[in-house]
Amino acid sequence: MNQVARRFFAYFLCLGLVITITVFSHSSALVSSQKTSPLSTEIRGVWLTNVASGVLFVPWGINRALNQLSALNFNTIYPVVWNRGHTFYQSAVAKMTTGSDTQPLLKFMHVGQDVLTKIVKLAKNKDLRVIPWFEYGFMTPHYSELARRYPDWLTSGQKGINSIENTPPEEIDNGLLNKQAWLNPLHPQVQEFIQGLIVEVVTNYDVDGIQLDDHFGMPVQFGYDRFTTELYQQEHQGKNPPSDPFNSEWMRWRADKITDFMAEIYQAVKAVKPKAKISLSPNYHAFAYKYYLQDWEDWVKKGLVDELILQVYRSDKNSFIAQLEQPSVKLAQTLIPVAIGILSGTMQNPVKITQIQAQVQAVRDRNFDGISFFYWESLWGYIVPESPQQRRKAFLDMFN
């Protein structure tokens, strides 16, 4: 069995376990409709991902999820539409570029039905906003068809496309960096491809906007590929990029190029659907800029973001609150709606409902515009510290 085959086998085996657990966790009963008030203007969102989650793959998963979310007064979903080199909708842009129009297992499980069409139709009937989430941004697996077909689209460090020199191990994004290739956000063909996916979703589906996240950037140690080096030389009298990836001018030059592309995306989306929201769910600004060249504070100042959902996935109360009170966050609050992303748990890290309740209250006490939870399965699904019934009751109390 070759490496690619082993990866897919492991993925499907893990997914099968998740689907089994999901079915067992939800088999008791559906949540009865307990809606007691109209939807609030507060953002009450959740991310629907495909990582360690079976919600998109079982035929009844989407219906059950949206029924339960609506019954508990959620009002926004962020369903993944771009992950691991695949789209989670039927994409002509992806088909033309990679030969595949959608994620293979998704296509098999839904017998060719377009999943995003199904999500939008069901959500609109329940007054749920749908903001498709381009989760992987510029990341793609090394074994993906995208990386194999277009090696010149990838950026690299000084030691190769997966080098992590000069970055402290604790600052690497959960180990993803050394497992993923990165498309070069400065490369015009990469920009055309990513923008094509985004515009395609806005054009073909009745969505309320699109969301980019912390992977819409470039790891600071990357940018030493041939294309970026030559572009830098053209604009710097033939000089090579500094060998120190943290050189302030070199960081600013790359970050500004990414900001320019963000402006192009904003304009392209608004040209198709002026009221579509450009949502962004980044890490805190100092981290986002220093390690991923994502100067989202500048994006907010320039009017390139309509909604900010700041990821604050911390269990320590003081650390959590400290992130809510950062100057960049307070500035954003004066300009656009700002909500806080709260971790509701993972398979490896279940989160108690008391922590979730305390964090929601801390967010509301500081007049933010709402919350969103990462991720659907851990709201009241598998491996939660309390029973699913207790969890659902707690969310209904929070959102009553």
Side-chain angles (χ1 to χ4, degrees), residues 169-311:
E170 66 272 16
E171 299 294 0
I172 297 173
D173 186 12
N174 297 321
L176 283 172
L177 190 57
N178 61 349
K179 299 177 183 178
Q180 302 292 329
W182 283 75
L183 299 171
N184 186 352
L186 279 59
H187 197 294
Q189 289 176 303
V190 171
Q191 293 181 355
E192 181 181 3
F193 172 67
I194 295 295
Q195 183 171 310
L197 295 178
I198 292 170
V199 172
E200 182 177 54
V201 166
V202 175
T203 302
N204 295 344
Y205 300 88
D206 183 19
V207 296
D208 297 279
I210 60 96
Q211 186 180 79
L212 307 171
D213 70 3
D214 52 326
H215 300 127
F216 193 82
M218 176 194 287
V220 67
Q221 65 270 39
F222 286 2
Y224 293 93
D225 57 276
R226 179 178 177 180
F227 175 85
T228 306
T229 297
E230 291 180 352
L231 181 61
Y232 185 88
Q233 290 171 335
Q234 292 172 18
E235 298 184 11
H236 292 82
Q237 295 77 49
K239 294 180 181 179
N240 286 324
S243 59
D244 177 10
F246 293 96
N247 174 277
S248 59
E249 186 277 331
W250 173 222
M251 288 180 64
R252 174 49 54 193
W253 182 82
R254 288 173 290 169
D256 286 347
K257 296 292 186 186
I258 296 171
T259 297
D260 291 343
F261 181 43
M262 184 67 186
E264 291 182 19
I265 288 177
Y266 187 90
Q267 293 164 6
V269 169
K270 297 297 184 178
V272 174
K273 191 172 292 184
K275 293 185 178 180
K277 289 187 179 297
I278 305 297
S279 178
L280 182 70
S281 57
N283 273 303
Y284 65 95
H285 183 259
F287 180 94
Y289 179 71
K290 182 176 182 180
Y291 293 104
Y292 288 90
L293 303 170
Q294 187 186 60
D295 191 359
W296 60 256
E297 182 178 9
D298 191 37
W299 300 0
V300 171
K301 290 178 181 177
K302 291 182 175 179
L304 305 179
V305 177
D306 300 316
E307 171 188 280
L308 187 73
I309 315 291
L310 183 70
Q311 298 180 31

Side-chain angles (χ1 to χ4, degrees), residues 11 15 18-23 26 46-69 77-80 88 106 109-110 115 118-119 122 133 375-380 382:
Y11 173 71
L15 181 61
V18 168
I19 291 174
T20 301
I21 295 173
T22 302
V23 173
H26 294 296
V46 64
W47 283 281
L48 305 181
T49 182
N50 65 303
V51 179
S53 173
V55 64
L56 299 178
F57 295 99
V58 294
W60 59 87
I62 296 169
N63 300 58
R64 175 168 287 162
L66 299 193
N67 284 339
Q68 291 185 339
L69 291 169
I77 56 172
Y78 300 98
V80 63
F88 283 66
L106 194 73
M109 295 299 292
H110 291 273
V115 172
K118 180 178 182 178
I119 290 173
L122 292 171
W133 170 38
Y375 54 103
W376 153 253
E377 231 83 11
S378 61
L379 291 177
W380 47 76
Y382 55 65

Side-chain angles (χ1 to χ4, degrees), residues 14-154:
C14 178
L15 181 61
L17 175 62
V18 168
I19 291 174
T20 301
I21 295 173
T22 302
V23 173
F24 179 78
S25 299
H26 294 296
S27 61
S28 57
L30 290 174
V31 173
S32 61
S33 179
Q34 304 177 65
K35 188 168 292 188
T36 56
S37 62
L39 290 175
S40 168
T41 56
E42 173 189 63
I43 296 168
R44 298 170 176 179
V46 64
W47 283 281
L48 305 181
T49 182
N50 65 303
V51 179
S53 173
V55 64
L56 299 178
F57 295 99
V58 294
W60 59 87
I62 296 169
N63 300 58
R64 175 168 287 162
L66 299 193
N67 284 339
Q68 291 185 339
L69 291 169
S70 176
L72 299 182
N73 294 327
F74 282 74
N75 59 25
T76 305
I77 56 172
Y78 300 98
V80 63
V81 290
W82 170 244
N83 183 298
R84 293 176 177 163
H86 290 293
T87 57
F88 283 66
Y89 64 96
Q90 291 178 1
S91 168
V93 173
K95 178 72 172 179
M96 182 173 60
T97 307
T98 69
S100 176
D101 65 350
T102 193
Q103 206 272 357
L105 182 59
L106 194 73
K107 191 172 188 175
F108 173 77
M109 295 299 292
H110 291 273
V111 199
Q113 181 182 9
D114 188 292
V115 172
L116 186 54
T117 296
K118 180 178 182 178
I119 290 173
V120 170
K121 182 178 179 180
L122 292 171
K124 293 299 179 181
N125 288 335
K126 298 182 179 299
D127 294 325
L128 291 164
R129 290 194 312 161
V130 181
I131 300 183
W133 170 38
F134 288 80
E135 180 181 8
Y136 259 42
F138 292 102
M139 287 197 308
T140 189
H142 292 284
Y143 57 83
S144 69
E145 193 66 21
L146 192 59
R148 290 153 62 95
R149 287 193 183 195
Y150 308 98
D152 56 317
W153 285 15
L154 304 180

